Amino acid sequence: ATVWSNINYTNAKANAESMINNEYVQTGLITGTAWDTVCHWIKSDDELKDSRTYGNYNNSESPANVKGCGTKQVAGYSDKWMVKNIYDLAGNVWEWTSEANGSYFIIRGGSYLSDGSDNPVSFRNNFNASYTNGNLGFRPRLYIK
């Protein structure tokens, strides 16, 4: 699937929330707590500090340095960028979360333009809600009521 990018926080939030909303299920942006929980479930603390071996970064290392790494790819492009059946958590595009820092909103995961040791899966960055670029997207969360 095509990765949705060039989207600001406000539009990412609105689109994530409108995917599903019924009496059983609701969608929205992933929370910072959920992101951290997933990170610690998939990798050890040391592996969370350096994502080059399992993410799509400009300096990915084996086994993640497959053909196409360091460029934005479709979701699920390589099984080498999957951990415990979760694709592209590390790298490919930064992802908006519902976490905020004052008037700024937090992005997570790094991107294909990032260094996987300087901007690993656990790293937080922040921008104002109107910021957008080609290496910034979002990951919806599914909440079962």
Side-chain angles (χ1 to χ4, degrees):
T2 302
V3 174
W4 198 334
S5 59
N6 287 312
I7 189 166
N8 64 33
Y9 172 82
T10 304
N11 288 328
K13 182 178 185 293
N15 280 282
E17 290 174 352
S18 69
M19 289 179 173
I20 303 172
N21 190 3
N22 60 42
E23 63 184 295
Y24 306 108
V25 179
Q26 179 181 6
T27 56
L29 288 178
I30 190 168
T31 65
T33 301
W35 190 283
D36 290 337
T37 301
V38 169
C39 283
H40 288 287
W41 175 66
I42 64 170
K43 292 291 182 183
S44 70
D45 285 343
D46 286 341
E47 292 169 312
L48 293 175
K49 295 176 186 170
D50 188 342
S51 306
R52 291 177 292 174
T53 60
Y54 59 94
N56 178 16
Y57 295 99
N58 66 12
N59 65 337
S60 292
E61 295 181 351
S62 183
N65 62 342
V66 299
K67 182 179 179 181
C69 72
T71 57
K72 184 171 66 174
Q73 300 295 339
V74 296
Y77 174 82
S78 172
D79 285 347
K80 304 295 183 186
W81 303 337
M82 174 187 66
V83 180
K84 294 189 178 177
N85 290 325
I86 301 172
Y87 282 91
D88 305 324
L89 193 66
N92 210 22
V93 297
W94 285 100
E95 298 177 14
W96 288 111
T97 70
S98 63
E99 190 176 11
N101 179 13
S103 62
Y104 292 87
F105 293 91
I106 306 299
I107 59 173
R108 302 291 294 269
S111 84
Y112 63 94
L113 295 172
S114 301
D115 178 312
S117 55
D118 289 339
N119 297 290
V121 66
S122 59
F123 184 75
R124 287 175 171 83
N125 203 347
N126 63 84
F127 290 104
N128 66 45
S130 63
Y131 182 77
T132 182
N133 72 36
N135 67 330
L136 177 57
F138 68 98
R139 179 177 302 264
R141 58 106 175 107
L142 181 69
Y143 173 73
I144 300 171
K145 297 178 182 179

